[in-house]
């Protein structure tokens, strides 16, 4: 019997019962029986269909994962081939001038590595073909004597020589890494700490550069903040005598060292080894050197960097000197300011003068840990901890970080740090395969803002760098049938608002200390007017500003919810159209009438005058907190 026939049978039975009943008190019972008999098969059928739907989704998910895995394998293979090809190019990719370090040439750019090296060694403090200093080995361990070390080096060099090949592409990187690992593990000392040898010749993690091997401190995963030295492997040629010290090869080492310099502030000695696994050249790049009156200059430009290329030596001698150099703290990555509470370091994400951010494995889960590198910046981390604590709670949305731990209340702790979860990736449009995922992430940000505002806080730095995307759960497919509730959960990209170091209280007058790009337009205009007025007043009445101060840093204002929502509009615009502020130097926003300030003000003028952006700006000005209203306005943009 189908559902229609069943329904008709129930109706006939009910009609017959009602015709035989004259007692009104039984009418309700008869009708209730009818409703129950009619709805039961429908509910059962809905349940069957939803179970089948769920099974189908699981099958589709498995098939999709299989296809994605196949696609990933293909992409990885293509990337390996492209990486091998690009690493052979004689030119570099990213333009960086290191004039401020004393070598006034674009080490990396359209210039070839050979020319960059040739120009660099012309500078006064550069030296080439220098004799390697005699060994001054001092063992930190009684178990490692000079004799033991010499025997270890001889065995290592003999084994490494077996891995030498005419062309570098044929070198067994895994075997070479294992041998180098044995060498540095056996000579490990308190000065070196944990040292790991990593194969990175197919990992373009250093500003799109892929050194063959890196000696890395602290973590076993490659990251540019912890590189101690780079090793570049070359072939010996068909005749076994291929020239090793070409300008291109040496320029490649210098390329790596100047890239590391950028990410390891405070370090002054950088080391690179160029080897064919028999002989080697060691390159030493030292910055911030001072020679008093004898410091060399060219015109008015002081040269405070020293580039030294040592002459060719057997690999064992180069390794010995490299090890000795790494005893010097100045030749190592700056120490990380994390406590044991953080767990096991996975990799460093960012390193700034005021904070260091890294991912740690803690109690079988990954977390993000942020710490202060110096005591003078402790207050900023402490304020962020206080803010995060106030945002916790049982109903905390997933778009607000979960505070895992902090050392703020730990008595006697020398570290100021905190850990949050989950870790994720920076917000970029390329992450989203479906428009619905992007829309969900934008809604997450809005939910986070409402939560923050409801707790009396303004974030003041809502921009792409402070939004991370992670794999979370999506809840949908709620059934409206009577006595039936089913939640179909699937994986979906979600967004989380982070970096509360610039947050402040709502409605309390204060100096603006938020992100440059998030500065309220009316505050920028106010500062510009004040600056213009000061330039017009009589010089006798003009009061010189404090050194380092700007109109923006001196201005007082009252933080409002709308400021965060306006930043959200700008965030959406720059994510969809990343070229909007391409080449933008954020900190110049606070300079009155600067190009950056004019660009930002002009952008706001365009957003206010053109749909659909003008509607978003109006809602932001009204501090609209209804996520549904925002979703409707964002619909077209998300679809685009």
């Amino acid at each position: 019997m189908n559902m229609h026939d069943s329904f008709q049978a129930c109706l006939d039975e009910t009609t017959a019962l009602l015709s035989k009943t004259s007692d009104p008190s039984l009418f309700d019972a008869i009708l209730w029986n009818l409703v129950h008999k009619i709805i039961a098969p429908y509910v059962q059928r809905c349940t069957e269909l939803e179970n089948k739907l769920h099974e189908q989704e699981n099958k589709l998910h498995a098939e999709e994962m299989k296809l994605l895995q196949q696609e990933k394998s293909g992409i990885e293979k293509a990337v390996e081939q492209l990486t091998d090809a690009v690493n052979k190019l004689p030119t570099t990719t990213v333009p960086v001038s290191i004039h401020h370090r004393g070598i006034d040439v674009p080490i990396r750019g359209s210039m070839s590595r050979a020319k960059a090296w040739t120009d660099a060694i012309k500078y006064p403090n550069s030296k080439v073909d220098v004799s390697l200093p005699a060994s001054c080995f001092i063992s930190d361990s009684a178990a490692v004597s000079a004799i033991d070390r010499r025997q270890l080096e001889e065995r290592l060099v003999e084994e490494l020589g077996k891995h030498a090949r005419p062309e570098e592409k044929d070198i067994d990187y895994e075997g070479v890494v294992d041998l180098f690992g044995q060498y540095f593990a056996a000579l490990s000392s308190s000065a070196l700490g944990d040292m790991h040898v990593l194969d990175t010749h197919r990992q373009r993690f250093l500003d799109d550069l892929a050194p063959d091997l890196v000696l890395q401190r602290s973590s076993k995963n490659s990251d540019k903040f912890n590189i101690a030295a780079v090793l570049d492997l070359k072939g010996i040629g068909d005749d076994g005598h291929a020239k090793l010290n070409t300008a291109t090869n040496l320029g490649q080492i210098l390329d790596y060292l100047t890239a590391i310099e950028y990410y390891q502030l405070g370090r002054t000695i950088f080391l690179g080894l160029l080897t064919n696994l028999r002989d080697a050249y060691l390159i030493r790049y030292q910055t911030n050197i001072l020679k008093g009156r004898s410091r060399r200059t060219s015109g008015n430009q002081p040269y405070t960097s020293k580039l030294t290329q040592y002459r060719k030596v057997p690999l064992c001698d180069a390794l010995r000197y490299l090890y000795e150099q790494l005893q010097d703290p100045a030749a190592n990555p700056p120490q990380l300011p994390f406590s044991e509470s953080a767990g096991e370091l996975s990799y460093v994400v960012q390193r700034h003068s005021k904070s260091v951010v890294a991912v740690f494995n803690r109690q079988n889960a990954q977390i993000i840990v942020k710490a202060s590198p110096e005591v003078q910046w402790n207050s900023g981390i402490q304020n962020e901890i206080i803010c995060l604590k106030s945002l916790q709670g049982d109903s905390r949305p997933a778009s607000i970080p979960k505070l895992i731990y902090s050392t703020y209340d730990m008595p006697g702790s020398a570290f100021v740090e905190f850990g949050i979860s989950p870790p994720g990736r920076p917000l970029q449009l390329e992450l989203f395969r479906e428009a619905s995922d992007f829309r969900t992430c934008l809604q997450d940000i809005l939910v986070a803002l409402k939560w923050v505002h409801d707790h009396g806080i303004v974030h003041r730095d809502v921009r792409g760098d402070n939004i991370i995307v992670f794999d979370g759960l999506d809840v949908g497919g709620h059934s409206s049938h009577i006595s039936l509730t089913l939640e179909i959960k699937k994986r979906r990209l979600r967004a989380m608002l982070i970096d509360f170091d610039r947050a402040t209280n709502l409605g309390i007058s204060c100096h603006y200390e938020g992100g440059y790009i998030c500065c309220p337009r009316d505050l920028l205009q106010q500062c510009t007017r004040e600056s213009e007025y000061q330039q017009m007043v009589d010089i006798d009445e003009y009061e010189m500003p404090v050194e380092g101060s700007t109109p923006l840093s001196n201005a007082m204002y009252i933080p409002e919810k709308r400021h965060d929502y306006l930043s959200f509009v700008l965030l959406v615009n720059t994510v969809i159209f990343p070229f909007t502020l391409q080449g933008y130097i954020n900190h110049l926003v606070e300079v009155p009438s600067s190009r950056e300030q004019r660009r930002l003000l002009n952008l706001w003028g365009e957003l206010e005058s053109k749909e659909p952006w003008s509607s978003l700006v109006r809602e932001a000005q009204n501090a609209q907190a209804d996520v549904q209203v925002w979703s409707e306005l964002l619909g077209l943009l998300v679809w685009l």
Side-chain angles (χ1 to χ4, degrees):
M1 180 181 296
N2 59 35
M3 294 183 66
H4 181 270
D5 293 339
S6 176
F7 171 77
Q8 188 61 47
C10 290
L11 191 59
D12 292 342
E13 179 183 354
T14 302
T15 302
L17 289 172
L18 289 173
S19 64
K20 298 177 181 178
T21 303
S22 57
D23 187 355
S25 62
L26 296 178
F27 289 169
D28 289 342
I30 294 172
L31 291 174
W32 173 250
N33 181 68
L34 171 65
V35 171
H36 179 72
K37 286 188 175 182
I38 290 176
I39 203 172
Y42 280 95
V43 171
Q44 181 181 356
R45 181 57 177 164
C46 287
T47 302
E48 293 173 356
L49 291 174
E50 284 169 343
N51 288 336
K52 289 182 179 180
L53 178 62
H54 191 59
E55 292 174 2
Q56 192 66 21
E57 283 184 346
N58 289 337
K59 290 180 181 178
L60 290 174
H61 179 69
E63 293 176 1
E64 182 181 3
M65 290 301 295
K66 183 178 179 181
L67 291 173
L68 288 175
Q69 188 60 44
Q70 293 174 351
E71 181 181 356
K72 178 184 175 184
S73 300
I75 292 174
E76 287 177 345
K77 184 177 180 179
V79 168
E80 288 180 2
Q81 295 172 345
L82 289 171
T83 298
D84 289 340
V86 172
N87 282 341
K88 303 299 185 296
L89 293 176
T91 58
T92 56
T93 54
V94 184
V96 174
S97 173
I98 54 172
H99 170 86
H100 66 290
R101 294 298 190 186
I103 301 179
D104 195 14
V105 297
I107 294 300
R108 294 157 57 215
S110 59
M111 176 184 292
S112 70
R113 283 172 170 153
K115 189 176 187 309
W117 174 262
T118 303
D119 288 350
I121 60 177
K122 292 178 181 177
Y123 283 86
N125 287 328
S126 297
K127 295 181 180 181
V128 297
D129 202 30
V130 177
S131 296
L132 201 66
S135 173
C136 55
F137 176 79
I138 300 176
S139 174
D140 290 324
S141 171
V144 183
S145 66
I147 296 176
D148 292 336
R149 182 214 55 204
R150 173 62 69 177
Q151 292 176 345
L152 177 63
E153 288 173 348
E154 291 176 351
R155 182 177 63 81
L156 171 68
V157 171
E158 182 181 355
E159 291 297 320
L160 282 172
K162 298 177 182 179
H163 289 277
R165 296 289 183 272
E167 294 188 39
E168 60 186 274
K169 67 180 181 64
D170 297 322
I171 293 175
D172 176 14
Y173 280 88
E174 184 177 351
V176 171
V177 167
D178 180 62
L179 289 169
F180 277 124
Q182 294 178 38
Y183 177 86
F184 286 101
L187 297 180
S188 181
S189 69
S190 58
L192 286 171
D194 294 333
M195 182 69 78
H196 307 282
V197 182
L198 306 179
D199 174 8
T200 56
H201 78 288
R202 287 177 174 170
Q203 301 178 35
R204 307 186 70 82
F205 71 102
L206 181 61
D207 267 7
D208 207 35
L209 302 173
D212 287 339
L213 307 179
V214 297
L215 303 182
Q216 182 156 304
R217 288 276 302 275
S218 303
S219 66
K220 297 180 181 179
N221 296 314
S222 55
D223 73 63
K224 51 202 171 192
F225 302 96
N226 282 313
I227 299 174
V230 293
L231 287 72
D232 215 42
L233 310 183
K234 300 299 179 184
I236 57 175
D238 293 331
D239 59 357
H241 299 287
K243 187 175 181 180
L244 187 58
N245 64 328
T246 65
T248 296
N249 290 347
L250 293 168
Q252 188 172 23
I253 295 290
L254 182 58
D255 213 5
Y256 299 148
L257 299 185
T258 53
I260 297 170
E261 176 197 12
Y262 180 79
Y263 291 102
Q264 297 188 12
L265 300 176
R267 180 177 174 180
T268 58
I269 298 175
F270 303 86
L271 302 163
L273 189 71
L274 179 64
T275 180
N276 57 13
L277 298 178
R278 292 179 180 176
D279 301 314
Y281 289 88
L282 197 137
I283 293 89
R284 186 177 188 268
Y285 177 53
Q286 184 175 3
T287 64
N288 293 336
I289 61 170
L290 296 174
K291 296 184 178 180
R293 293 183 179 180
S294 65
R295 183 175 61 189
R296 298 181 179 184
T297 62
S298 175
N300 295 322
Q301 170 62 35
Y303 290 89
T304 60
S305 296
K306 182 178 180 180
L307 178 63
T308 305
Q309 176 227 310
Y310 295 97
R311 65 183 51 163
K312 183 172 70 173
V313 294
L315 179 57
C316 60
D317 293 340
L319 287 175
R320 186 184 308 122
Y321 184 72
L322 175 62
Y323 171 75
E324 292 171 359
Q325 284 288 294
L326 288 172
Q327 304 281 346
D328 186 349
N332 283 276
Q335 291 293 313
L336 296 175
F338 299 108
S339 70
E340 293 182 357
S341 300
E344 180 184 3
L345 176 67
S346 180
Y347 57 92
V348 176
V349 178
Q350 287 182 338
R351 184 165 202 148
H352 299 302
S353 59
K354 297 182 179 181
S355 65
V356 182
V357 181
V359 173
F360 281 81
N361 294 313
R362 187 175 190 266
Q363 298 177 359
N364 299 321
Q366 283 197 328
I367 64 171
I368 305 172
V369 180
K370 186 174 183 179
S372 169
E374 297 180 20
V375 175
Q376 59 181 321
W377 307 120
N378 283 357
S379 60
I381 301 295
Q382 289 170 344
N383 290 337
E384 189 166 2
I385 292 172
I386 293 172
C387 181
L388 284 169
K389 283 187 174 182
S390 70
L391 295 175
Q392 302 303 296
D394 294 338
S395 55
R396 172 189 57 83
S399 50
I400 293 292
K402 179 181 180 181
L403 183 62
I404 304 300
Y405 82 99
S406 75
T407 59
Y408 182 69
D409 297 328
M410 292 184 182
S413 176
F415 302 88
V416 177
E417 68 185 25
F418 64 89
I420 59 173
S421 71
R425 294 159 286 177
L427 175 65
Q428 294 178 334
L429 197 61
E430 293 78 10
L431 293 175
F432 304 101
R433 299 174 64 90
E434 299 178 4
S436 58
D437 287 336
F438 183 40
R439 181 169 57 249
T440 297
C441 285
L442 294 181
Q443 291 172 350
D444 286 337
I445 300 170
L446 291 165
V447 169
L449 289 180
K450 185 177 186 307
W451 182 264
V452 170
H453 296 161
D454 288 347
H455 286 74
I457 296 172
V458 183
H459 187 277
R460 298 203 297 182
D461 204 11
V462 183
R463 54 191 174 91
D465 290 344
N466 293 333
I467 306 294
I468 62 172
V469 177
F470 62 96
D471 292 324
L473 285 176
D474 178 49
V475 179
H478 294 281
S479 173
S480 59
H481 295 294
I482 299 176
S483 304
L484 180 66
T485 302
L486 178 68
E487 294 181 352
I488 300 176
K489 297 183 179 181
K490 64 178 181 179
R491 308 301 299 180
R492 165 161 281 179
L493 292 178
R494 306 300 298 268
M496 185 169 70
L497 180 65
I498 60 172
D499 280 0
F500 290 82
D501 52 336
R502 299 179 183 272
T504 190
N505 294 321
L506 266 171
I508 299 178
S509 181
C510 62
H511 287 99
Y512 182 75
E513 296 177 351
Y516 293 113
I517 201 72
C518 301
C519 182
R521 183 176 62 164
D522 47 358
L523 181 59
L524 279 179
Q525 293 171 330
Q526 171 192 330
C527 292
T528 300
R529 288 193 298 268
E530 291 177 357
S531 177
E532 293 173 349
Y533 173 76
Q534 288 181 354
Q535 294 175 12
M536 294 173 59
V537 299
D538 186 85
I539 190 64
D540 294 332
E541 301 177 2
Y542 181 73
E543 183 177 342
M544 292 296 292
V546 178
E547 182 179 357
S549 67
T550 64
L552 183 58
S553 63
N554 292 328
M556 298 291 290
Y557 86 119
I558 298 178
E560 301 177 27
K561 298 177 182 179
R562 64 186 180 92
H563 296 152
D564 278 350
Y565 285 113
L566 287 168
S567 296
F568 170 77
V569 174
L570 195 61
L571 163 69
V572 176
N573 181 270
T574 53
V575 170
I576 296 178
F577 305 111
F579 58 83
T580 302
L581 295 177
Q582 193 171 19
Y584 197 82
I585 305 175
N586 287 357
H587 71 272
L588 293 182
V589 165
E590 62 178 345
V591 178
S593 302
S594 65
R595 173 176 173 268
E596 275 68 20
Q597 190 178 103
R598 291 196 303 272
R599 283 182 66 183
L600 184 58
L601 292 174
N602 290 339
L603 176 58
W604 276 119
E606 292 180 8
L607 294 177
E608 279 191 332
S609 62
K610 297 179 180 178
E611 289 288 355
W613 299 104
S614 58
S615 297
L616 297 177
V617 173
R618 282 194 300 272
E619 295 300 332
Q621 289 284 14
N622 294 329
Q624 175 60 256
D626 191 332
V627 176
Q628 186 59 38
V629 172
W630 280 104
S631 296
E632 293 174 0
L633 293 173
L634 291 167
L636 177 60
L637 289 172
V638 171
W639 179 81
L640 289 172

